[in-house]
Amino acid sequence: MTLFYFLLCMLCAASCTKTPPPPPRKYNSITSFGDSLADTGNFLLSGALPFSVVGNLPYGETFFQRPTGRCSNGRLIVDFFAEAYGLPYLPPYLAIVDGVKYENGVNFAVAGATALDAEFYADKKLGHFLWTNSSLSVQLGWFKKLKSTLCTTRQECDNYFKKSLFLVGEIGGNDYNYPLFGGASPKELEALVPLVLEKIISTASTLIEEGAVELLVPGNLPIGCLPAYLTLFLTPEKAAYDRNGCLRAHNAFAKFHNKQLQFALGSLRAKYPHAKIMYADYYNAAKKYVHNPLHHGFTNGVLAACCGGGGSFNFNSSASCGRTGSKTCTNPSTYANWDGIHLTEAAYGLIAKALIRGPFTSPRIQ
Ligand SMILES: *[C@@H]1O[C@H](CO)[C@@H](O)[C@H](O)[C@H]1NC(C)=O
Ligand SMILES: *[C@@H]1O[C@H](CO)[C@@H](O)[C@H](O)[C@H]1NC(C)=O
């Protein structure tokens, strides 16, 4: 036996024979609700918009190398969660096939979805802005329908769902986007916050009543740093911007929503002490790279989109990403923003890591 083989055997004796069994999976499934930050294909499959740009490249170009209906160049936060917990990527609800048991979870999120029902916006004459009617209650209805294919008795359902991670959002961002794009000021939107939160909390309560035990409820991103907002709400007033170049009033509004959400989650924890109700701090997880873009590889900064129709923030609503007049950057991982509203896979990956490894969920997920 040569020395090489001897050493190899020594190594094997030390490691190969004592391969520890894989650790038990923390979650057996992920059940996801929300909007375009989490949609893995429902909006596209819904056919709500016949020629949606997300159905074409460059959407999906980086990771999947084809459009999947995700509003990004690659994976979303929910995909990074699936990877981290050893689960397959979640199929969108509208792609599921009758007779198949989706034991590793399903994604109910729909791009453009609001927490409040579509009728609410129709009554406010904002209905024409809505991309979809698949609000949070519609998604909850889908979940209830699917549930009967996963388990039947209360005991069986409880056993199944206690090992599922429920991602309740991000949702609510569009409830504010539609009125903002319709001309409302961030201050005027504050009246909408209690209604949006009530819907998120009542949905989380229903899920707990249905058997959910571990829930992660994300807050809003620093929307004042998004290229679409920076373009649409451009102002010569220097005081309107913070030291990172983000719109103060819009970020302040996101923080207001987040603070109220955390408060509401506190009451929910008191009502359901057996459940682990976690707040996901998307805002501060994203703020980390906003404060220090270079450190996170965003050599092209965080305020301009990778894909868009030009201008200071590479956003032009008449030439948005995927449409005539827009161009895609050569290296999306050097940008935090993908298309003016949604983030790049690189940014979603950073946020997911910050949530899973900490400390941006409260209580901690691990
Ligand atoms: C939403 O529902 C209304 C009323 O049923 C319908 O007129 C509208 O086309 C729907 N919008 C979308 C985007 O599906
Ligand atoms: C936005 O795009 C449209 C369509 O390509 C173009 O006509 C317009 O000049 C662009 N606006 C700006 C500010 O670049």
Side-chain angles (χ1 to χ4, degrees):
M1 189 158 59
T2 63
L3 182 63
F4 173 75
Y5 282 108
F6 177 72
L7 285 173
L8 194 68
C9 287
M10 289 290 288
L11 280 170
C12 274
S15 60
C16 306
T17 55
K18 278 207 295 199
T19 308
R25 274 206 305 226
K26 186 168 167 63
Y27 300 112
N28 288 341
S29 68
I30 296 175
T31 309
S32 161
F33 300 87
D35 58 25
S36 57
L37 298 195
D39 184 359
T40 54
N42 285 316
F43 178 76
L44 193 61
L45 290 162
S46 78
L49 202 64
F51 302 103
S52 171
V53 289
V54 300
N56 297 312
L57 290 171
Y59 284 88
E61 67 168 23
T62 301
F63 186 77
F64 300 98
Q65 276 125 36
R66 64 183 172 86
T68 61
R70 286 169 177 79
C71 297
S72 183
N73 59 316
R75 290 161 291 181
L76 310 178
I77 294 171
V78 61
D79 297 312
F80 288 107
F81 267 75
E83 284 182 8
Y85 294 109
L87 297 168
Y89 299 128
L90 301 190
Y93 173 73
L94 296 179
I96 68 175
V97 180
D98 274 351
V100 178
K101 210 169 169 184
Y102 290 89
E103 288 183 314
N104 296 125
V106 169
N107 193 346
F108 300 96
V110 185
T114 47
L116 296 169
D117 289 335
E119 292 79 46
F120 177 85
Y121 293 94
D123 291 348
K124 296 245 174 316
K125 308 264 181 288
L126 287 165
H128 59 285
F129 280 105
L130 261 58
W131 293 10
T132 175
N133 290 339
S134 304
S135 63
L136 197 50
S137 335
V138 173
Q139 296 176 26
L140 187 63
W142 290 348
F143 166 76
K144 287 180 179 170
K145 227 164 106 186
L146 186 80
K147 191 185 164 190
S148 60
T149 70
L150 290 167
C151 56
T152 40
T153 65
R154 174 90 213 193
Q155 179 80 45
E156 208 189 347
C157 291
D158 284 353
N159 277 339
Y160 175 73
F161 286 117
K162 77 175 183 219
K163 295 281 280 178
S164 186
L165 174 64
F166 283 77
L167 300 178
V168 190
E170 179 276 333
I171 187 80
N174 290 319
D175 293 78
Y176 309 130
N177 282 338
Y178 294 124
L180 278 173
F181 296 154
S185 75
K187 209 70 196 157
E188 284 169 319
L189 287 182
E190 288 186 5
L192 207 53
V193 174
L195 304 178
V196 168
L197 293 180
E198 192 185 81
K199 187 55 103 178
I200 295 173
I201 297 297
S202 71
T203 303
S205 306
T206 306
L207 292 171
I208 296 168
E209 305 278 352
E210 298 274 350
V213 177
E214 300 224 9
L215 300 92
L216 188 69
V217 188
N220 212 336
L221 287 165
I223 56 174
C225 308
L226 298 179
Y229 283 75
L230 289 163
T231 305
L232 297 171
F233 307 115
L234 188 72
T235 163
E237 264 180 71
K238 286 263 184 306
Y241 298 93
D242 68 14
R243 66 192 168 96
N244 301 306
C246 305
L247 289 159
R248 279 181 198 280
H250 293 80
N251 275 356
F253 175 75
K255 280 204 269 197
F256 176 80
H257 164 91
N258 292 348
K259 203 170 159 202
Q260 303 293 318
L261 173 61
Q262 283 169 270
F263 191 72
L265 291 177
S267 311
L268 196 63
R269 287 183 197 112
K271 190 169 165 203
Y272 299 106
H274 77 283
K276 185 174 177 188
I277 301 164
M278 296 167 278
Y279 170 68
D281 192 352
Y282 280 19
Y283 188 99
N284 285 303
K287 257 308 175 84
K288 259 177 55 154
Y289 66 67
V290 171
H291 283 308
N292 199 346
L294 289 180
H295 179 75
H296 294 92
F298 297 131
T299 47
N300 282 298
V302 299
L303 304 182
C306 160
C307 180
S312 309
F313 307 103
N314 195 25
F315 180 81
N316 175 347
S317 54
S318 323
S320 53
C321 179
R323 290 169 67 188
T324 313
S326 85
K327 280 206 204 71
T328 313
C329 68
T330 44
N331 193 351
S333 68
T334 59
Y335 288 78
N337 197 280
W338 169 243
D339 62 3
I341 298 194
H342 307 104
L343 307 183
T344 54
E345 172 180 275
Y348 285 136
L350 286 176
I351 295 174
K353 202 160 98 184
L355 299 173
I356 294 163
R357 296 202 191 153
F360 292 95
T361 71
S362 161
R364 292 281 289 270
I365 196 160
Q366 268 149 348

